[in-house]
Amino acid sequence: MDIYLDSNATTAVLPLAREAAMKTMQDAFGNPSSVHSAGLRARSVLDAARTSARRVLGMPTGRILFTSGATEGIQTAVLSCLNAWREKRDSGEALPGLLLYGATEHKAVPEALKHWNKVLCLGLNVQPIPVDRNGRHALEWLRHHAPQAAMVCTMAANNETGVVSDLDGIALAMNGSPALWLVDSVQALGKLDLRLAERRIDYAPFSGHKLYAPKGVGMLYVREGAPFTPLMAGGGQENAARSGTENMVGIAALGAVLKELERGRAFHPSSVLEAYRKQLVHALRTAFPDLVLNTPLAMALPTTVNFSVPGVTSRLLLEVFDAAGLRMSAGSACGSSRAQPSYVLEAMGLEAWRAASAVRLSFGAADTEDTIEEACRRIRQCGLALKASRLLPDVAAGTDAHSVVTRFAAEGECTYVVTDPGQRRCVVIDPRAEQVEPILQWMRCRGCSLVAVLNTAHDDGKQSGAASLKHAARALAQPAPTPCDPLGWPLAQDLIALGPWQLRRLQDGVLELWEHGALRYRFGADAAKAIDVDGDIVFDLPRHDPDARLAIVAGRSITEPSSEPLELSVSGLHTLLQQAPAIRLVDVRERVEQAVGALVPGDTRLRVDRAPMSEIINALPGWLGQTAEIPLVLVCRSGNRSAQAARALRGMGRQNTWSLAGGVALCGQDLFNTAMPEQETGIGRPCWT
Ligand code: PLP
């Protein structure tokens, strides 16, 4: 069962909202502008929704217009305000020079300010209001700048952190300012009392899909007397404030949700939501004892927790949670497909590692106690799996046979860690500054000591993490490093032995990794250079890998991609299985993801091997050697990592490799029983055959 903990991104549609939408389509499908009975029935649905909205918002006066969502409400508010200032300017009045918005505002707000400022040729200065480490607006700064502001935009509660703004403090700081005030109230609806009537808020946009109504419907409140310019002109609907035939299905559903808010049955009061959050935070702290909260709970919505786990990137945590059927996100849904750290946490001045590791858990005001309890159980399970996979420190964890080369890659830059099979000693090659923390965590979790930190080339020192890695390792009471040359090679040593593996250095910084007298891998080498390897395949592991090749077969040119499609659907997989029964599925998700959601193929003919992306280098000799004839179908969570690895393998000449399109997320039910273990997970050894 999926547990959805991403309610600040969107919510499911409440059954009673669905019913209201269906009923409107069946019984009240008329046009609310028509004067016949069908139109009147639709009009009564529209009026009832607006009446509920007025009661929920406590606003008997002012406009409430239905929109397509908050982004439209924001545009309308900004256009209304700026157009009023433009008219004043045209009649000779001097304009205040600033348009202010909170630095952690949803992007819709600053982008709307910039857009309409440009379209209306106002030339005002669009400036962020700084926030403190808790994400609260700098009120002194605002007090100083508000007298020169034409508009001030501050959200009621932040979508990423849940931080609730001090609206009374903001109102006080704006005292005497000519600015109109927009309060983005999207995350507040149903969770906070906005006291719109008491506060002199001019515009407040809302969005239906953040509170159990469907996407594509929202509301804008406009204070009586506040300037208003319609965004859309046409048939004069909504008293000519927003033309276009109303989205009656969405409005009926939103109306049903608002009515339910009035009744107070489906949604829990704050005290219950706070108790749920306490339970979830307790489970998170049990799973991740070093966890850091990115905002004080007392200042946040009772349904949101934003946290970071030292040494664990948000990407990894989200993948583990997803494998356990827990849907969370790294920040705003709009930004989470991009790799950049959250601008919200950066604006709060949090350290880079916290921004890079941040996870947002947000549940809904209608979630049940059973859901919260099951979520807590799975969170604890994820903590155990991370410990068992040596991604969190755990005193109980012993050693197990492990891959020799581990690859840490980000944005096309690669760092390699070479370990002895007992995992107690390691050499780090070409560490990047941003990889230092994850590598240290990796070493800590394995009780692994650092033998050397090597660079394969000189660089300007800005991006290399060699110095900080050595420094941090020393702080961890690691043995003092031996004197070394500028690239980190220990002086007076010809080779570094790691069990049966040996690292050797060539003149130009190139490193070779040998196993029992056979050359296996080279680091920092020119891949195009042919080498004499007596029939063995040697892999060049690149330092820069922008095209995600993973490795290049030394002395061999890159194979042209075949015309055979790279991605297989489930039915394509079954067809392939008819032709080649010996086919292997390879789970390239990280060990911890595999631990919380093992792939158990429904089809018993399928065998699953494990080759996590970070360790996949170790499987290459087998896949291009003894088992080269066996077709491989790589699988991951969404199909992205598996496609990348399959493409790389084809580039190495292994054409009989595919990726399962859509991964476990889309094919799960058709192909796998993804099992969620009850007990601490023992992770099997990868099958490199
Ligand atoms: N404002 C905030 C605080 C939000 O969280 C969102 C949605 O993520 C929006 C505005 C945009 O809302 P909509 O999707 O309804 O346009």
Side-chain angles (χ1 to χ4, degrees):
M1 177 186 75
D2 270 12
I3 297 193
Y4 186 77
L5 297 172
D6 199 13
S7 295
N8 289 8
T10 196
T11 47
V13 178
L14 209 60
L16 57 83
R18 235 179 291 152
E19 278 159 30
M22 288 301 291
K23 195 163 181 319
T24 299
M25 282 191 277
Q26 281 166 0
D27 305 337
F29 60 85
N31 187 326
S33 298
S34 302
V35 291
H36 49 61
S37 307
L40 292 180
R41 273 199 295 278
R43 165 68 51 188
S44 79
V45 172
L46 186 62
D47 291 345
R50 207 180 323 265
T51 305
S52 282
R54 283 200 183 285
R55 280 199 295 258
V56 166
L57 300 179
M59 284 316 304
T61 62
R63 289 174 201 258
I64 290 180
L65 49 129
F66 290 108
T67 62
S68 63
T71 302
E72 184 192 323
I74 292 165
Q75 307 303 309
T76 308
V78 170
L79 169 66
S80 298
C81 171
L82 299 200
N83 197 34
W85 281 112
R86 189 190 59 85
E87 283 168 2
K88 285 188 185 176
R89 184 196 62 188
D90 292 352
S91 63
E93 256 188 64
L95 290 192
L98 297 177
L99 296 173
L100 302 179
Y101 66 95
T104 58
E105 213 69 18
H106 187 280
K107 285 291 177 204
V109 170
E111 291 309 313
L113 287 172
K114 287 176 207 162
H115 177 71
W116 291 109
N117 186 34
K118 191 167 162 200
V119 170
L120 298 172
C121 302
L122 283 172
L124 302 181
N125 190 359
V126 183
Q127 229 180 304
I129 306 164
V131 295
D132 64 17
R133 275 181 82 81
N134 291 328
R136 286 267 174 96
H137 300 90
L139 296 181
E140 224 10 77
W141 188 99
L142 181 59
R143 204 181 327 276
H144 186 71
H145 290 81
Q148 299 101 54
M151 186 170 202
V152 171
C153 304
T154 54
M155 61 202 332
N158 185 272
N159 45 313
E160 288 194 27
T161 58
V163 168
V164 177
S165 298
D166 175 5
L167 292 181
D168 290 329
I170 293 168
L172 213 60
M174 285 176 64
N175 233 344
S177 163
L180 290 158
W181 187 17
L182 176 146
V183 175
D184 176 343
S185 305
V186 167
Q187 299 293 344
L189 189 61
K191 299 169 204 158
L192 291 178
D193 182 5
L194 285 166
R195 308 206 322 267
L196 284 175
E198 284 167 46
R199 292 173 172 146
R200 222 219 60 185
I201 294 169
D202 296 295
Y203 307 100
F206 299 89
S207 177
H209 73 100
K210 307 288 178 170
L211 195 76
Y212 297 98
K215 289 151 199 65
V217 66
M219 301 185 290
L220 175 67
Y221 157 77
V222 183
R223 188 179 55 78
E224 193 169 2
F228 187 83
T229 300
L231 181 67
M232 293 194 281
Q237 287 87 348
E238 295 282 274
N239 276 333
R242 199 264 187 190
S243 285
T245 302
E246 295 84 347
N247 166 11
M248 288 309 301
V249 172
I251 292 170
L254 179 57
V257 171
L258 291 167
K259 196 158 196 161
E260 195 54 28
L261 264 181
E262 287 185 79
R263 286 199 204 113
R265 280 189 319 213
F267 303 107
H268 302 297
S270 288
S271 55
V272 172
L273 299 176
E274 271 164 28
Y276 286 170
R277 182 176 63 179
K278 202 168 163 194
Q279 254 177 284
L280 287 161
V281 170
H282 184 261
L284 285 168
R285 286 198 194 284
T286 308
F288 315 110
D290 297 336
L291 170 136
V292 181
L293 293 178
N294 291 326
T295 41
L297 296 181
M299 285 188 187
L301 290 172
T303 46
T304 307
V305 187
N306 191 306
F307 62 92
S308 301
V309 179
V312 186
T313 60
S314 40
R315 190 192 172 116
L316 175 64
L317 261 188
L318 293 177
E319 281 164 359
V320 177
F321 286 141
D322 205 45
L326 297 169
R327 316 297 174 214
M328 298 187 214
S329 68
S332 74
C334 329
S336 53
S337 54
R338 299 173 214 139
Q340 287 105 343
S342 147
Y343 69 91
V344 171
L345 300 183
E346 280 186 343
M348 288 162 61
L350 299 191
E351 299 79 359
W353 77 263
R354 275 169 78 174
S357 298
V359 171
R360 172 183 74 182
L361 179 162
S362 54
F363 59 97
D367 277 336
T368 64
E369 196 174 347
D370 287 351
T371 304
I372 301 295
E373 273 172 13
E374 176 60 15
C376 290
R377 190 188 75 79
R378 293 190 196 184
I379 288 169
R380 283 190 288 268
Q381 200 63 52
C382 290
L384 289 176
L386 275 158
K387 284 176 188 153
S389 318
R390 312 287 169 71
L391 291 165
L392 277 183
D394 180 17
V395 279
T399 56
D400 59 7
H402 196 265
S403 301
V404 172
V405 182
T406 304
R407 179 179 186 264
F408 291 77
E411 311 281 312
E413 301 297 333
C414 306
T415 297
Y416 300 93
V417 181
V418 182
T419 7
D420 67 24
Q423 284 192 78
R424 289 299 185 208
R425 298 162 68 246
C426 70
V427 172
V428 179
I429 299 172
D430 289 330
R432 312 284 302 176
E434 64 278 11
Q435 301 287 13
V436 168
E437 232 344 279
I439 291 170
L440 281 169
Q441 174 81 339
W442 188 94
M443 285 167 53
R444 254 184 242 127
C445 297
R446 288 165 177 73
C448 198
S449 68
L450 188 61
V451 175
V453 181
L454 307 176
N455 277 325
T456 55
H458 296 277
D459 64 17
D460 57 11
K462 275 190 220 131
Q463 291 154 339
S464 170
S468 52
L469 183 60
K470 281 189 204 169
H471 181 78
R474 232 169 292 147
L476 290 176
Q478 296 257 350
T482 47
C484 54
D485 74 7
L487 289 177
W489 188 268
L491 294 179
Q493 248 178 263
D494 291 335
L495 57 87
I496 298 173
L498 295 158
W501 293 78
Q502 292 178 340
L503 257 179
R504 293 183 191 164
R505 178 182 62 151
L506 303 187
Q507 287 308 323
D508 46 3
V510 173
L511 300 168
E512 292 182 340
L513 186 59
W514 293 71
E515 182 198 20
H516 296 302
L519 177 59
R520 295 279 183 232
Y521 302 104
R522 297 193 302 177
F523 303 88
D526 176 357
K529 243 187 232 168
I531 52 169
D532 178 11
V533 288
D534 283 344
D536 275 334
I537 301 172
V538 177
F539 295 91
D540 279 315
L541 305 182
R543 186 180 194 212
H544 307 290
D545 189 19
D547 302 326
R549 286 177 186 168
L550 289 179
I552 297 142
V553 178
R556 228 192 248 177
S557 55
I558 291 159
T559 309
E560 280 300 307
S562 81
S563 54
E564 174 93 23
L566 187 80
E567 297 197 310
L568 274 187
S569 61
V570 172
S571 64
L573 175 66
H574 283 124
T575 309
L576 187 65
L577 198 54
Q578 307 302 326
Q579 298 158 3
I583 191 170
R584 299 265 172 89
L585 283 186
V586 182
D587 186 350
V588 300
R589 298 174 307 155
E590 292 305 320
R591 282 165 182 267
V592 62
E593 293 172 77
Q594 298 170 352
V596 291
L599 299 189
V600 182
D603 188 325
T604 49
R605 288 169 301 170
L606 283 168
R607 165 179 164 173
V608 181
D609 289 352
R610 294 172 171 191
M613 279 300 274
S614 61
E615 300 169 37
I616 205 164
I617 300 292
N618 304 276
L620 299 179
W623 286 342
L624 272 84
Q626 306 104 290
T627 62
E629 301 309 317
I630 297 177
L632 298 180
V633 178
L634 311 189
V635 188
C636 70
R637 186 175 61 94
S638 68
N640 286 340
R641 285 172 288 174
S642 56
Q644 200 183 74
R647 200 171 299 116
L649 275 158
R650 286 199 181 178
M652 289 175 229
R654 201 187 201 287
Q655 299 300 343
N656 52 351
T657 310
W658 289 267
S659 160
L660 188 65
V664 185
L666 294 192
C667 306
Q669 277 169 359
D670 292 338
L671 199 56
F672 306 111
N673 317 306
T674 48
M676 177 73 191
E678 286 293 325
Q679 295 301 320
E680 179 155 354
T681 332
I683 296 168
R685 289 192 54 185
C687 318
W688 310 146
T689 45

